[in-house]
Amino acid sequence: MKVPLFDMTRQYEKIRTEVLNTIDEIFKSGKVVLGKHVKNLEENIEKYMNVKNAIGVANGSDALVIAVKALNLNPGDYVITTPYTFFATASCIVRNGLTPIFVDIEEKYYNIDLNEVERILKTHPQKEKIKAIIPVHLFGKTVDMKKLLELKEKYNLKVIEDTAQAIGAVWYDGDKKIYAGTASEFGTISFFPTKNLGGYGDGGMIVSNNDELSQKAKYLRVHGASKKYYHDEVGFNSRLDEVQAAILDIKLKQLDEYIEKRINVAKIYKKLFTENGLNEYIEYPEVFKDRTHVYHQYVITLKSGNRDELFKHLKENEIGTSIYYPKGLHLQKCFEDLGYKEGDFPITEKACKTTIALPIFPELTEKEQEHVVKTIKNYFKGE
Ligand SMILES: *Cc1c(COP(=O)(O)O)cnc(C)c1O
């Protein structure tokens, strides 16, 4: 049996007529960028995430670059982030002429280690120049935002939550439900096709409760123009197109259902690993009561065995798999001049060698999951 890591065609079958009718309407109208569908999507995301402002942009990487730029930091300033994430989380800092400071992740949960962040904030030789932090809700798992907001307050930091993998994830402050991405200066979202709310091409969004910063981001997406052809500063061209916005709006109505299904897939994996006696070999993603995991990726950690061999074994058996991420950002060639070296972030480096992603998407069947788990069992136990 062939099991894909991700398959968007199954979902398409269910929304095909609605999507095709909408596209036809857009093409007939002749309005294809930043029109009513982008506006509708922005408004619906504002409602969904309970946030004041949503600004559609071309992709999640641009959302980050624009958000950093809107913070108006000074050349020479530092921004803290994690080395265990997609490249765009750190490149947005460099692309704005600022310097990243990487901080290792927490064991098991793989989000940035906030104790370590505080240690750096206290001891870094240039600590007064650390102005912002970009945490990532990695794989869909919400960062400990209560603790992060305490640090924000105490050290006067700007925060951009990289929410590319976590739209729909929430955390609780008492009874109050707060969406990942909405408690800081900015949250940034990606609509890349594989993401939990994925388009049929690129797309992204910036969310914020700060009106002034939102206005700034809005100008920056159209070359820094507050009025057409009147440029207050040099910005970007980063438009979300109407077709993507319209499709995303159709899918947004079902996002909670998609997330529910992903959570169920995760539950079934856990059940199957246990039934198959695999818990001594692998560690599956843990969740907390007061913050959710929307399972953009289902990433397990090997307690024993060889990850690369398991990877090969799964590939040979036609099971979709991937490594997020094989190399920490601190060791990437393009960041050589930052001066990091092997051994600087042991938890990240260990995660790069011991984690592996398994198939997950809302339409994955239990039969397929059984096959995935059997194939893993076959690797560990030879049965
Ligand atoms: C996908 C992703 C991005 C970038 O989004 P694009 O839409 O692909 O540009 C940024 N950060 C993280 C953590 C991501 O997973």
Side-chain angles (χ1 to χ4, degrees), residues 58-62 64 85-89 136-138 162-165 188-192 194-195 202-204 296 325:
N59 53 65
S61 304
D62 275 10
L64 281 161
T85 177
F86 180 60
F87 182 69
T89 314
V136 181
H137 304 289
L138 195 72
D162 185 340
T163 316
Q165 305 186 356
T188 59
I189 298 164
S190 165
F191 300 127
F192 186 72
T194 61
K195 300 283 157 87
D202 278 308
H296 166 56
Y325 296 88

Side-chain angles (χ1 to χ4, degrees), residues 214-226:
S214 300
Q215 194 55 255
K216 197 138 186 251
K218 222 168 175 165
Y219 295 162
L220 287 171
R221 103 177 143 178
V222 285
H223 288 297
S226 57

